[in-house]
Amino acid sequence: MGKTYDAIDGRLRAFVESQPVFFVATAPSGDDGHVNVSPKGLADTFAVVDEHTVAYLDLTASGAETIAHLRQNGRITVMFCSFERTPNVVRLHGRGRVVTVYDADFAAWAARFPENAAARAVIVVDVERVSDSCGYALPLLSLDEERDLLTPNMERRGPDGVVAYRVQKNRTSIDGLPAFDDDPVP
C-alpha cells in the first residue's frame, strides 16, 4: 500500500499544502533522551519550496525540542494525515536547519508566511525521502475553525515579553540540550 517517491510532485504538494495540521518528529542522538512529536497547524505556516525542500514558520511556544534536536543532529520527519473521505498519510524525511529571527536570511524565509508576532524561526527541511501510506484506519474528522490563542497571546506580551518568555521556557530542551538560546538574557 505504501509507496516512496523521488520528489514532492504536484499531487503530493497539493495534498500536504491542503492539510490543516501536520506533525513534526525529532529525537536527540544516542540512546538517551525523548523522541518529540509536535503538532503544527496555523493556516499558511507550511510551504513546499521545491521538490526537495519544505519550510514552516516555527512559533514561540512552551518548548523548543525540535530546535534542540535539529541543532544537535538535523534529523526530522514531517507527517501529514488526511482526515477527509480519501485516506492518505505522507511523510517527508530529511535534514532540518533552524533559521532564527536573529539570522540574516530570516526575513527572506519568513516572507513566505504571514507575519506573526510569535515567530521565532523558520525550520527548513532538505527532504531526502518522500513516502505515503494508506491511512485506512484514520478517523474522519472535520475542521471547525482555526484555534486563535497563540498569536494573540504573544501579541499581548509585546516583543520584549515574547523574548522574556523564550528566555524562560525555550533555552533548553526537556533533556537539557541547548535549544532556542539565541535571545539575549537580560
Side-chain angles (χ1 to χ4, degrees), residues 113-166:
F113 311 102
E115 189 172 327
N116 190 304
R120 67 179 168 200
V122 173
I123 304 299
V124 181
V125 180
D126 297 319
V127 178
E128 300 168 343
R129 183 177 190 272
V130 180
S131 66
D132 70 2
S133 57
C134 66
Y136 288 174
L138 294 177
L140 295 174
L141 300 172
S142 60
L143 175 66
D144 292 333
E145 62 185 271
E146 290 281 326
R147 189 181 309 271
D148 191 22
L149 296 172
L150 182 95
T151 303
N153 178 290
M154 293 299 157
E155 288 172 342
R156 282 190 300 277
R157 291 174 187 273
D160 292 340
V162 172
V163 169
Y165 180 88
R166 286 195 304 246

Side-chain angles (χ1 to χ4, degrees), residues 94-108:
R95 308 292 292 174
R97 65 184 183 276
V98 181
V99 180
T100 78
V101 294
Y102 299 108
D103 293 332
D105 54 344
F106 177 79

Side-chain angles (χ1 to χ4, degrees), residues 12-45:
L12 291 170
R13 180 182 188 138
F15 173 76
V16 301
E17 288 184 336
S18 69
Q19 299 313 305
V21 65
F22 61 97
F23 302 88
V24 175
T26 59
S29 299
D31 295 334
D32 295 328
H34 294 82
V35 174
N36 186 65
V37 180
S38 293
K40 308 291 182 186
L42 286 181
D44 301 319
T45 57

